[in-house]
Amino acid sequence: MRIDAIDLYHLRLPLRRPLPGPAACYEAFETVVAAVHADGVCGWAEAAVGNGPHRGPEWAAGVFACLTGWLAPAVVGREFADGNALAEALGEFRGQRQAKAVLDMALWDAGARREGKPLHEVLGGVRTSIELGLTFDRMESHEEFLGKIGEAFSSGAARVKLKMRPGWEIRMLEAVRREYPSEPLAVDFEGALTLANSELLYRLDDFSLLFVEQPLWTDDLVGHAMLQEAIRTPICLDESLAAVGHADIALDLKSGRFFNLQPGRTGGLTAALSIHDRAHENCVPCYVGGGPNAGVAARFGLALAAKENCETAADYFPADEYFAKELLAPLPARRTAEGSGLRVELWTSPGIGTEPDRAALAECAIAHVECRP
């Protein structure tokens, strides 16, 4: 496909209530949305990285600057056979995976629209609806925290994942397990521990968890392999899987028994699909993670979650509960039958199934740049 033009938007989305994060509490949420015009269609994508380098090394202002100053000018006016060809063209730029992912995913969306097929079908998805799980962080009170978890299970959430902050670990898990002794739970340390915390990590086997996500530092694949050999609880790698090569090393070392796939973090759908396929060949199940986003990024996650090896519920972020202004209407999450779990039905229209509201884009834009040959 020939990229004829690229529109880039740096957005600041107003919030209904503050959004907690690992290192800050956002009063508004910043994100980057791109529209790639190619072969008569327009593909959309989003880098939902937030206001600062808290959840990862990139953030919205940096992604926008990288795209407008370097990446978009390098590819506009050129033709690319697929995502691998695009990645090769962007290879001269180091890192910047979230920024590269925006272009990759928008090209996938444009390709699916040109074929007249929904993106999940183009990706080879085997599901028409996706099971959902919810994530909770520390709250104002113990009672509120336990109450929200109860509401999640009552609503049909397939699993609940708990963020493990310093000083918010074993006692919190003990309290949750007393209240919900048999419900499916997972925990996420976001790389906050080392092997010096082995005693704490061994204790996790007492709580019958689905998995413990990213307990150790991002690059410590050897440490993860040593820990996985010592504990029964499956380790799920998340931030460690920033590229296909990282997944290959993790599979060789047996660093974990679950993979969290996030297209933005890996540099796009092209790389995420490769990681999915390698994990499938090695009998390592995947699930699709996520976080705060304006809705465009969520569509890509749901499309990827339709793949065969994505066996565990995808992360679900209820955007309508947080954002006062939405770029597109969220897909409704609901139970399809009595006693069933919380699910979202996938769309049947081409690409990601919809486009952002242009008026909302203009209203929330901090900056807008058009890139043409």
Side-chain angles (χ1 to χ4, degrees):
M1 299 183 72
R2 184 181 188 276
I3 297 178
D4 300 310
I6 303 172
D7 284 309
L8 298 164
Y9 299 87
H10 180 189
L11 305 174
R12 183 175 175 86
L13 303 176
L15 293 168
R16 298 183 188 277
R17 62 178 186 268
L19 183 65
C25 196
Y26 303 140
E27 297 295 333
F29 183 76
E30 293 186 20
T31 188
V32 176
V33 168
V36 171
H37 306 270
D39 291 356
V41 295
C42 180
W44 294 86
E46 177 189 4
V49 287
N51 306 29
H54 306 311
R55 297 181 181 275
E58 294 173 79
W59 67 100
V63 167
F64 185 76
C66 183
L67 282 165
T68 56
W70 299 97
L71 303 191
V75 299
V76 73
R78 298 175 60 181
E79 189 159 340
F80 299 97
D82 54 26
N84 290 314
L86 178 67
E88 185 176 352
L90 295 174
E92 65 177 291
F93 304 106
R94 301 290 182 93
Q96 309 300 324
R97 291 188 177 92
Q98 292 279 359
K100 292 175 180 178
V102 169
L103 299 176
D104 173 271
M105 292 190 292
L107 209 59
W108 273 98
D109 182 37
R113 291 176 190 272
R114 189 177 64 172
E115 289 185 47
K117 297 178 181 179
L119 180 62
H120 54 88
E121 185 178 322
V122 172
L123 297 180
V126 298
R127 300 177 181 86
T128 58
S129 68
I130 304 300
E131 198 173 36
L132 302 175
L134 293 169
T135 300
F136 294 100
D137 210 329
R138 182 184 291 184
M139 297 181 187
E140 289 296 323
S141 72
H142 221 60
E143 292 71 24
E144 181 189 12
F145 183 71
L146 292 174
K148 288 292 185 182
I149 294 172
E151 289 175 16
F153 286 129
S154 296
S155 73
R159 57 112 179 106
V160 160
K161 186 171 71 175
L162 308 174
K163 297 287 187 181
M164 303 290 276
R165 303 293 174 209
W168 181 248
E169 298 139 351
I170 297 302
R171 287 188 179 180
M172 179 270 287
L173 268 178
E174 288 173 339
V176 173
R177 268 299 180 224
R178 276 196 301 271
E179 197 77 17
Y180 308 103
S182 59
E183 299 286 7
L185 291 174
V187 298
D188 182 6
F189 281 95
E190 296 184 320
L193 305 181
T194 69
L195 289 178
N197 303 107
S198 293
E199 184 177 348
L200 183 155
L201 290 162
Y202 296 157
R203 286 286 311 278
L204 297 179
D205 281 343
D206 298 338
F207 297 99
S208 301
L209 300 172
L210 294 174
F211 55 78
V212 51
E213 188 165 304
Q214 199 65 44
L216 308 180
W217 181 50
T218 300
D219 292 343
D220 194 3
L221 291 173
V222 172
H224 278 104
M226 294 167 63
L227 180 62
Q228 184 63 94
E229 191 173 1
I231 65 174
R232 296 189 308 274
T233 305
I235 289 174
C236 177
L237 296 178
D238 180 11
E239 288 89 350
S240 288
L241 303 177
V244 176
H246 297 166
D248 288 337
I249 295 170
L251 290 167
D252 286 343
L253 293 174
K254 295 181 172 53
S255 300
R257 302 211 301 266
F258 258 100
F259 279 4
N260 177 338
L261 297 179
Q262 295 195 38
R265 188 194 55 226
T266 61
L269 269 178
T270 304
L273 286 168
S274 293
I275 293 173
H276 167 277
D277 293 346
R278 285 161 160 78
H280 198 186
E281 291 167 6
N282 287 270
C283 300
V284 174
C286 301
Y287 88 97
V288 176
N293 66 84
V296 181
R299 295 283 180 129
F300 287 92
L302 291 168
L304 183 58
K307 293 286 289 179
E308 184 177 1
N309 196 42
C310 293
E311 299 179 3
T312 303
D315 274 346
Y316 173 60
F317 176 77
D320 53 340
E321 293 182 16
Y322 282 92
F323 292 126
K325 176 73 66 175
E326 296 180 55
L327 298 185
L328 45 82
L331 293 165
R334 58 194 173 204
R335 288 174 153 174
T336 55
E338 185 67 30
S340 67
L342 192 66
R343 307 185 76 92
V344 64
E345 296 292 323
L346 297 178
W347 55 95
T348 57
S349 45
I352 61 170
T354 187
E355 292 189 350
D357 183 324
R358 305 281 181 146
L361 279 175
E363 184 178 342
C364 297
I366 300 172
H368 170 214
V369 170
E370 298 179 19
C371 185
R372 304 185 184 281

